[in-house]
């Protein structure tokens, strides 16, 4: 079983100690850097004041991006399924035609 270790991350000039499995450390650090960057973008826009509000706006921006990407992936998956169905239909038709023409024809 993976043992949790404490990882220290810095987000918007604050330090957070977080329990994290060793094999997830790199992902946690990457997520913290990403969040820090997004929060700094929000803060530097000058439109949002206060750490809590900056965090909420950054979370909303990240969630919006995530949902948009998920929607795009869902659309691509649907398109891929339709393409595969079309190809399978074409193969079925080709095999049926070949079977009708068969070796005895």
């Amino acid at each position: 079983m993976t043992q949790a270790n404490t990882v220290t991350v810095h987000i918007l000039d604050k330090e957070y100690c977080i329990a994290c499995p060793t094999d997830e450390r790199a992902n946690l650090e990457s997520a913290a850097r990403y969040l820090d960057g997004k929060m700094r973008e929000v803060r530097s826009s000058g439109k949002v004041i206060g750490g809590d509000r900056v965090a909420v706006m950054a979370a909303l921006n990240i969630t919006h991006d995530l949902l948009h990407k998920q929607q795009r992936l869902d659309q691509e998956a649907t398109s891929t399924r339709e393409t595969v169905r079309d190809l399978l239909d074409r193969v079925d038709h080709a095999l049926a035609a070949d079977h009708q023409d068969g070796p005895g024809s």
Side-chain angles (χ1 to χ4, degrees):
M1 179 165 203
T2 305
Q3 183 177 359
N5 292 319
T6 301
V7 177
T8 301
V9 295
H10 296 86
I11 301 171
L12 208 60
D13 305 324
K14 290 188 180 179
E15 191 173 278
Y16 298 88
C17 294
I18 303 169
C20 177
T22 304
D23 60 340
E24 288 293 321
R25 180 182 180 120
N27 287 335
L28 174 61
E29 290 171 340
S30 179
R33 281 190 303 274
Y34 186 79
L35 177 58
D36 181 63
K38 288 295 186 180
M39 288 179 68
R40 287 178 187 281
E41 283 177 23
V42 169
R43 185 177 68 179
S44 70
S45 75
K47 296 177 183 176
V48 180
I49 298 173
D52 290 347
R53 291 179 183 267
V54 168
V56 169
M57 289 306 298
L60 285 171
N61 289 336
I62 291 168
T63 303
H64 175 267
D65 292 345
L66 174 67
L67 293 175
H68 181 72
K69 287 179 183 178
Q70 185 61 50
Q71 181 182 30
R72 192 179 80 241
L73 287 173
D74 290 346
Q75 290 170 343
E76 290 173 3
T78 298
S79 176
T80 300
R81 278 192 295 275
E82 290 171 358
T83 301
V84 168
R85 280 191 207 112
D86 180 52
L87 290 171
L88 287 172
D89 286 345
R90 291 170 64 186
V91 167
D92 286 344
H93 288 2
L95 289 174
D98 187 50
H99 179 59
Q100 288 176 356
D101 293 341
S105 298

